[in-house]
Amino acid sequence: MNDFLALDAPIIGMLHLPALPGAPGFAGDRDELRAHVRADAAALESGGVDAVMVENFGDAPFYPDDVPKHTVASMTALVGAVSEAVSVPVGVNVLRNDAAAALSVAAATGASFVRVNVHTGARVTDQGVVTGRAYETMRLRERLDADVAVLADVDVKHSAPVTPRETGEVVAETLERGLADGVVVSGVGTGEAVDRDRLREVVTHRDELGLDAPVVVGSGTTVESVADLLAVADGVIVGTALKSGGETTNPVDEQRVRELVEAAES
């Protein structure tokens, strides 16, 4: 079984990359960028997370679905550095929604999973209308012969549906027709708490489908909420709460990681 999917109630620590070469905010020092990545990865693993996910968070404004080749190259180098630095499963998310790039980076570096913000259907975002390409993503995984799990968002943050749809339909299409291995439920934005009723609704629909697919919280998990969330969900992705001062763009604070992990275990 895929080593990420084999985890029990994983805490997935976010490694938010600063702006990469070619992005407006790039600081111009590749060595410093790599050092930052290694330090964050070490702090996350030492603090006790079960997995690490690498995301090009600093690359705003984001391309909607096809990042440049130099971004793929930078992501491959940095995800490779993380994979060498930690022993836990590593994931990849290429913003805004370049699933082919994420899957390719994961396959090249030995990463275990990817997050796809829009896997099926379509969402209105600040990049315009972003359309899911499950038909391409899952065929690419087959061609690459890659043991990479696909986690797909349900109503991803920083977006709105083109037209309202029933949650059960979205969950079923993502898992049964889109063949995602798991789903992610998030709040309305980065660091925003998930709606607990919606989380339970997604879990209920997953159970009604009789599928063994994890439901993972995608934003807003804190020391105070992690235990309650894991009583409902099968895992959590945590970023902002693990950073110095609770600021998303700050370095990972190992003590904050440890406190959240301990809260989850209690």
Side-chain angles (χ1 to χ4, degrees):
M1 177 184 246
N2 176 279
D3 59 354
F4 170 75
L5 294 177
L7 296 174
D8 181 27
I11 296 174
I12 307 161
M14 279 302 306
L15 201 161
H16 294 109
L17 296 175
L20 302 177
F26 177 54
D29 191 328
R30 287 177 171 80
D31 291 337
E32 184 177 329
L33 177 59
R34 184 178 288 265
H36 170 92
V37 166
R38 286 183 177 276
D40 269 7
L44 287 169
E45 183 172 41
S46 295
V49 301
D50 302 295
V52 173
M53 183 154 63
V54 184
E55 177 183 272
N56 58 326
F57 183 82
D59 277 356
F62 302 113
Y63 290 87
D65 54 19
D66 186 15
V67 302
K69 293 179 178 60
H70 59 76
T71 300
V72 179
S74 292
M75 288 286 290
T76 302
L78 294 171
V79 172
V82 172
S83 296
E84 292 173 357
V86 302
S87 59
V88 297
V90 175
V92 185
N93 187 18
V94 180
L95 299 171
R96 171 66 157 143
N97 198 57
D98 196 335
L103 191 57
S104 299
V105 171
T109 59
S112 302
F113 64 102
V114 298
R115 179 178 182 177
V116 181
N117 291 168
V118 184
H119 186 58
T120 59
R123 304 284 296 182
V124 179
T125 74
D126 55 310
Q127 296 81 32
V129 176
V130 174
T131 304
R133 295 184 177 182
Y135 56 94
E136 292 180 350
T137 303
M138 305 316 287
R139 284 174 171 81
L140 176 60
R141 184 171 71 172
E142 289 299 311
R143 291 200 303 274
L144 294 174
D145 191 24
D147 184 17
V148 177
V150 173
L151 302 183
D153 278 86
V154 175
D155 291 339
V156 67
K157 57 190 175 182
H158 301 291
S159 75
V162 174
T163 57
R165 301 190 63 199
E166 293 293 329
T167 300
E169 292 179 4
V170 178
V171 173
E173 290 186 357
T174 302
L175 294 174
E176 290 190 324
R177 292 166 67 86
L179 302 182
D181 300 293
V183 293
V184 180
V185 185
S186 64
V188 297
T190 301
E192 297 292 329
V194 67
D195 183 297
R196 303 289 182 90
D197 290 336
R198 181 158 182 75
L199 176 62
R200 293 187 187 93
E201 186 180 8
V202 171
V203 171
T204 297
H205 286 301
R206 184 276 313 274
D207 291 345
E208 289 174 348
L209 293 169
L211 298 175
D212 184 22
V215 175
V216 179
V217 174
S219 70
T221 299
T222 64
V223 170
E224 294 77 19
S225 67
V226 64
D228 289 340
L229 290 171
L230 286 175
V232 180
D234 303 298
V236 293
I237 299 170
V238 195
T240 301
L242 306 182
K243 303 300 186 68
S244 297
E247 293 291 335
T248 307
T249 55
N250 283 349
V252 171
D253 182 333
E254 184 178 329
Q255 181 58 34
R256 291 176 73 102
V257 179
R258 188 172 292 108
E259 289 171 358
L260 187 136
V261 171
E262 290 174 353
E265 292 174 347
S266 66

